[in-house]
Amino acid sequence: MSLKNLGDVSYFRLNNEINRPINGQIPLHKDKEALRAFFVENVKPNMMPFDSITDKINYLVKHDYIESSFINKYTPTFIEKLSQDLKQHKFRFKSFMAAYKFYQQYALKTNDGNYYLENIEDRVLFNALYFADGNEQLACDLAVEMINQRYQPATPSFLNAGRSRRGEFVSCFLIQVTDDMNSIGRSINSALQLSRIGGGVGISLSNLREAGSPIKGYAGAASGVVPVMKLFEDSFSYSNQLGQRQGAGAVYLDVFHPDILNFLSTKKENADEKIRVKTLSLGITVPDKFYELVRKDADMYLFSPYSIEREYGVPYNYIDITAKYDELVENPNIVKSKIKARDLETEISKLQQESGYPYIINIDTANRHNPIDGKIIMSNLCSEVLQVQKPSLINDAQEYEVMGTDISCNLGSTNIVNMMTSPDFGHSIRTMTRALTFVTDNSNIEAVPTIKNGNQQAHTIGLGAMGLHSYFAQHHIHYGSKESIEFTDIYFMLMNYWTLVESNNIARERKTSFVGFEKSDYANGSYFDKYIMGDFVPKSEQVKKLFKGHFIPQAKDWIALRDAIIADGLYHQNRLAVAPNGSISYINDVSASLHPITQRIEERQEKKIGKIYYPAFGLSTDTIPYYTSAYDMDMRKVIDVYAAATEHVDQGLSLTLFLRSEIPEGLYEWKKQSKQTTRDLSILRNYAFNKGVKSIYYIRTYTDDGDEVGANQCESCVI
């Protein structure tokens, strides 16, 4: 049976029967039947047979499906043994969605698309061999972590590892534009190049002079940021990855930029087509000062980037607005305008209700918790990557006089459900750190020199997590409870500890630290002060029980680690980031990222197929009470959980807020009326700010007719 012609199959029908209760009961067994039918009717008859893994590899190399270079780093005997070891684990998908996603999206197929050339054991094998780079022990360790689904590489890495005709291992990038035409032109070219290779691109526009500012002394000549936004949107539309999917970009602007209202208006449904951006995502950077002015119901001044750069000699992004606010107000050389802070706050909330945008980056919070010398100025397409950048200086020949540093996102994820049963939590995390290190060491984006430069200097990685709500439900813990917050706190403390340990080990082995380590809070030891106090240990009996058997570092362990890092350094500038997850959470059969589920049985529309129903992990009579939908949950509970993780994550976490257009009575204590209002969103944003949350991704609103506003996530960045 051809994969192109599914014919008369039963697995979709069986899966769809989940949504038809029998005597008031959900027929979950129908999903298991659909899973079995999928293998019988689709996978087995369409899997190209081989006598051995050696025969398969020879065929794949000969026909240019996989590279030979990484295979040649190992003996055939070792590869055969590792392949057999993987089969001994007897991996089984737990749901129809998981198997369907893997075979449709990840499994290598023949050029005509008619036959599968690998199963999940093969994909894991090729990932392990590729990322271990000839190290047999590391290959074995990686294979064990992946086949047990404790570690899941991001989609670009998992999909492309070992393939001869492949994309990049990373798919998310950050670039900034400075206030000159050379930088704008170079940045548009960078966006084209990154989109061509499948990348999602975050772009900071805050340095650009506002509409009406002078150019070469001619007053009113500048057009502002909106025309530049349109240029970027057209670039992403044109460079659409061979027509397979639209390029994706997000533009960021600071709330004190004079074009902020025009910037927000580009996403309104009734915006003039001349300024409206349909596919570009919007994000704003919000300094502490804005929250203060809103709280006081005060006026706020918007400051000209052009005059700031002329006065201070640095681009707008590199001025601390909160610290310099009063000075900027009093300085007659700074061109400024005045609006009501609460009016802007209301405009932000209105747009979030309407479109889910803008993303919010609490930029002072991010920098306050940044242990690296330098300034974080923006984020990425999913708002979890927060790293320092340096601006470039480009001459009229489009050459770099000063090479700045931009960012690529090297991501992977732990599966919390399975990590908590790891025989050695620390060894698992250290192995994952090694795998991600290979990605950062071998991801040089030649077409965008600033990104290559930033990656080579920083060696950054972003290990995250998924399956948090699944784990809570399995252990009868309510999402947002004290126990859930305490568990999250300890889990991410352990991730932080073990990635630090391994980054230090790698630095010692290679006698190399990231550029600027000596100016970081790691080098002077201050980063470790809070851990040496000894507060980050399980306290409640339930959480103590959950972590029983796992090593919990005490103050003396943190002191020893601090001293080792001061002596030998860290290889990675950044180590942790929690992405929203997408397909990888499905193939791991757990809830996405750290979010609560949105439905106990998720209804997902698949292209060309129709609806697929996906039951929550371990859904049963016992776990149903613990699977509260995000839309029926006080969002402050979600913020509390994310705040606990944020304490230990050196970058950011992709936090989505879920609201109903009609909010149930009693869900929020401040709520008197039933309709969602701009005040509700303002309260939640301020609550997140006061809890130390660095960023807010989408606002997703469930409407009366069952639609979701702000539900479309970027495929380039969702790992």
Side-chain angles (χ1 to χ4, degrees):
M1 180 178 66
S2 169
L3 290 174
K4 292 183 178 179
N5 181 18
L6 295 174
D8 184 20
V9 297
S10 66
Y11 41 86
F12 290 122
R13 174 179 54 79
L14 287 166
N15 171 265
N16 277 225
E17 288 181 21
I18 298 173
N19 202 42
R20 300 169 194 157
I22 300 173
N23 298 324
Q25 298 293 312
I26 302 171
L28 292 172
H29 64 280
K30 289 295 182 181
D31 190 62
K32 300 296 185 185
E33 292 178 17
L35 176 60
R36 287 192 292 270
F38 179 63
F39 274 88
V40 171
E41 299 173 21
N42 182 287
V43 177
K44 290 181 180 179
N46 292 299
M47 182 67 72
M48 185 174 288
F50 295 94
D51 293 332
S52 67
I53 190 64
T54 300
D55 288 342
K56 176 178 285 193
I57 288 172
N58 289 338
Y59 176 89
L60 296 178
V61 170
K62 179 180 178 181
H63 292 86
D64 196 32
Y65 286 108
I66 65 171
E67 301 172 10
S68 60
S69 56
F70 79 101
I71 295 293
N72 293 336
K73 294 176 181 178
Y74 306 89
T75 66
T77 302
F78 173 78
I79 295 175
E80 284 280 1
K81 183 179 184 305
L82 183 53
S83 178
Q84 288 301 316
D85 288 346
L86 284 167
K87 291 177 183 177
Q88 291 302 314
H89 282 81
K90 299 187 185 303
F91 176 88
R92 296 291 183 271
F93 288 104
K94 300 179 185 69
S95 70
F96 169 66
M97 172 69 91
Y100 177 78
K101 271 288 180 185
F102 173 77
Y103 280 100
Q104 292 302 305
Q105 187 167 342
Y106 297 99
L108 186 62
K109 303 176 185 68
T110 53
N111 293 333
D112 58 13
N114 286 343
Y115 294 96
Y116 299 118
L117 292 170
E118 61 183 10
N119 54 32
I120 193 164
E121 288 87 353
D122 299 327
R123 187 91 301 261
V124 166
L125 174 69
F126 294 147
N127 270 254
L129 295 174
Y130 199 86
F131 296 141
D133 196 29
N135 184 327
E136 291 186 356
Q137 185 58 56
L138 181 57
C140 291
D141 291 345
L142 278 171
V144 168
E145 295 304 321
M146 285 188 279
I147 201 65
N148 285 291
Q149 293 193 317
R150 293 192 285 265
Y151 175 57
Q152 177 61 54
T155 286
S157 302
F158 190 59
L159 178 68
N160 289 311
R163 296 189 178 185
S164 57
R165 292 165 284 166
R166 64 169 178 84
E168 295 294 333
F169 297 133
V170 297
S171 65
C172 196
F173 306 93
L174 286 74
I175 58 176
Q176 68 169 317
V177 185
T178 52
D179 189 33
D180 63 90
M181 196 62 72
N182 291 327
S183 177
I184 293 170
R186 187 84 195 213
S187 298
I188 290 170
N189 178 64
S190 295
L192 283 166
Q193 297 299 328
L194 294 169
S195 186
R196 175 181 60 83
I197 62 175
V201 189
I203 306 151
S204 173
L205 301 179
S206 296
N207 295 325
L208 298 185
R209 67 191 71 188
E210 73 280 11
S213 59
I215 297 177
K216 294 184 177 181
Y218 291 95
S223 300
V225 302
V226 173
V228 179
M229 293 166 67
K230 296 289 285 184
L231 288 172
F232 277 111
E233 181 168 61
D234 290 343
S235 298
F236 291 123
S237 178
Y238 177 74
S239 187
N240 61 3
Q241 299 145 48
L242 301 177
Q244 295 179 19
R245 67 183 184 190
Q246 192 83 354
V251 287
Y252 283 88
L253 196 72
D254 191 78
V255 291
F256 288 96
H257 192 289
D259 284 350
I260 185 64
L261 291 172
N262 292 336
F263 177 82
L264 295 173
S265 69
T266 62
K267 208 68 178 175
K268 292 181 178 179
E269 290 182 359
N270 62 353
D272 189 297
E273 287 300 316
K274 293 180 181 178
I275 67 165
R276 186 181 180 191
V277 295
K278 299 176 183 178
T279 58
L280 205 61
S281 299
L282 303 189
I284 56 175
T285 55
V286 186
D288 290 359
K289 191 67 179 181
F290 179 70
Y291 290 100
E292 177 191 329
L293 296 173
V294 170
R295 186 171 64 252
K296 293 179 177 178
D297 193 17
D299 292 331
M300 66 179 288
Y301 285 90
L302 309 178
F303 304 109
S304 164
Y306 175 73
S307 58
I308 282 179
E309 187 161 354
R310 284 170 63 88
E311 183 75 5
Y312 289 92
V314 296
Y316 178 98
N317 272 331
Y318 296 90
I319 288 290
D320 185 335
I321 293 292
T322 297
K324 295 281 188 182
Y325 183 81
D326 293 337
E327 180 182 319
L328 293 169
V329 171
E330 295 299 324
N331 189 336
N333 295 328
I334 301 298
V335 176
K336 59 189 75 74
S337 57
K338 185 168 65 174
I339 62 173
K340 294 288 290 183
R342 286 194 182 175
D343 288 348
L344 177 54
E345 173 84 345
T346 299
E347 285 300 309
I348 293 168
S349 294
K350 284 180 179 178
L351 187 59
Q352 287 183 327
Q353 281 183 312
E354 186 176 305
S355 68
Y357 298 104
Y359 310 151
I360 306 292
I361 308 299
N362 293 324
I363 202 68
D364 289 346
T365 303
N367 279 291
R368 222 172 4 255
H369 294 90
N370 170 36
I372 308 303
D373 181 56
K375 190 175 183 189
I376 298 166
I377 61 169
M378 60 178 292
S379 188
N380 64 321
L381 224 55
C382 301
S383 78
E384 84 279 11
V385 173
L386 296 167
Q387 300 175 23
V388 299
Q389 288 170 266
K390 294 178 182 176
S392 299
L393 181 62
I394 304 171
N395 62 26
D396 289 342
Q398 293 286 287
E399 298 166 338
Y400 289 97
E401 292 187 1
V402 176
M403 177 75 72
T405 56
D406 286 322
I407 297 166
S408 60
C409 318
N410 309 313
L411 304 172
S413 188
T414 62
N415 179 328
I416 295 171
V417 172
N418 296 330
M419 272 298 295
M420 288 303 293
T421 62
S422 172
D424 188 336
F425 191 107
H427 183 74
S428 293
I429 296 294
R430 289 169 58 196
T431 300
M432 299 171 196
T433 304
R434 294 274 175 175
L436 284 167
T437 301
F438 177 89
V439 176
T440 195
D441 286 345
N442 290 274
S443 296
N444 292 316
I445 310 300
E446 299 284 350
V448 187
T450 54
I451 284 179
K452 179 180 178 181
N453 188 41
N455 186 57
Q456 289 179 337
Q457 290 190 24
H459 317 139
T460 57
I461 61 175
L463 184 61
M466 59 184 165
L468 187 63
H469 198 183
S470 297
Y471 184 79
F472 290 158
Q474 184 184 38
H475 291 275
H476 293 188
I477 298 172
H478 288 289
Y479 193 106
S481 66
K482 290 181 179 179
E483 292 78 10
S484 73
I485 294 167
E486 184 183 352
F487 172 87
T488 304
D489 185 38
I490 301 303
Y491 185 89
F492 278 91
M493 178 274 293
L494 288 176
M495 284 186 62
N496 190 24
Y497 179 84
W498 287 113
T499 54
L500 282 167
V501 166
E502 198 62 9
S503 185
N504 176 238
N505 288 338
I506 295 170
R508 188 178 302 109
E509 291 168 12
R510 303 187 184 187
K511 296 180 172 52
T512 301
S513 290
F514 66 83
V515 173
F517 166 78
E518 66 281 355
K519 297 180 180 179
S520 71
D521 291 344
Y522 301 117
N524 64 36
S526 62
Y527 175 83
F528 302 93
D529 290 350
K530 66 181 179 183
Y531 292 108
I532 291 170
M533 298 298 292
D535 291 337
F536 297 103
V537 295
K539 296 179 177 66
S540 70
E541 290 304 315
Q542 187 173 12
V543 176
K544 285 180 181 177
K545 184 178 179 181
L546 293 174
F547 283 99
K548 184 179 180 181
H550 291 291
F551 167 75
I552 304 295
Q554 307 296 309
K556 62 181 176 58
D557 302 303
W558 285 104
I559 290 171
L561 179 58
R562 177 199 64 188
D563 293 347
I565 288 172
I566 290 172
D568 296 315
L570 289 173
Y571 187 70
H572 310 91
Q573 176 187 280
N574 299 91
R575 296 160 290 103
L576 300 175
V578 180
N581 304 141
S583 297
I584 64 168
S585 65
Y586 289 120
I587 66 173
N588 275 259
D589 272 309
V590 291
S591 54
S593 193
L594 308 189
H595 291 137
I597 62 164
T598 56
Q599 298 169 292
R600 288 169 178 155
I601 297 180
E602 182 181 347
E603 179 184 295
R604 186 174 178 90
Q605 188 74 29
E606 290 291 317
K607 295 176 182 177
K608 301 179 182 179
I609 298 299
K611 292 178 180 178
I612 295 180
Y613 293 90
Y614 176 60
F617 170 83
L619 189 63
S620 67
T621 303
D622 288 341
T623 59
I624 278 179
Y626 301 93
Y627 269 128
T628 302
S629 167
Y631 289 110
D632 298 320
M633 190 180 293
D634 185 335
M635 282 295 102
R636 290 174 298 180
K637 293 182 177 180
V638 179
I639 291 168
D640 289 345
V641 169
Y642 271 76
T646 297
E647 184 71 35
H648 309 285
V649 174
D650 58 344
Q651 296 189 70
L653 301 91
S654 187
L655 165 62
T656 295
L657 297 181
F658 303 84
L659 297 165
R660 289 186 180 273
S661 57
E662 293 280 349
I663 296 178
E665 186 177 352
L667 187 60
Y668 296 111
E669 62 191 36
W670 69 79
K671 194 73 182 156
K672 302 299 182 185
Q673 67 274 37
S674 60
K675 285 281 187 183
Q676 180 199 128
T677 66
T678 57
R679 180 172 177 265
D680 298 324
L681 282 167
S682 178
I683 289 171
L684 290 173
R685 286 198 304 273
N686 277 269
Y687 183 81
F689 165 70
N690 286 307
K691 293 293 289 189
V693 167
K694 299 174 188 176
S695 64
I696 299 173
Y697 185 32
Y698 275 118
I699 305 296
R700 290 174 62 173
T701 300
Y702 192 85
T703 63
D704 297 339
D705 57 7
D707 293 331
E708 287 182 293
V709 176
N712 296 322
Q713 298 182 332
C714 166
E715 293 182 14
S716 294
C717 208
V718 174
I719 69 166

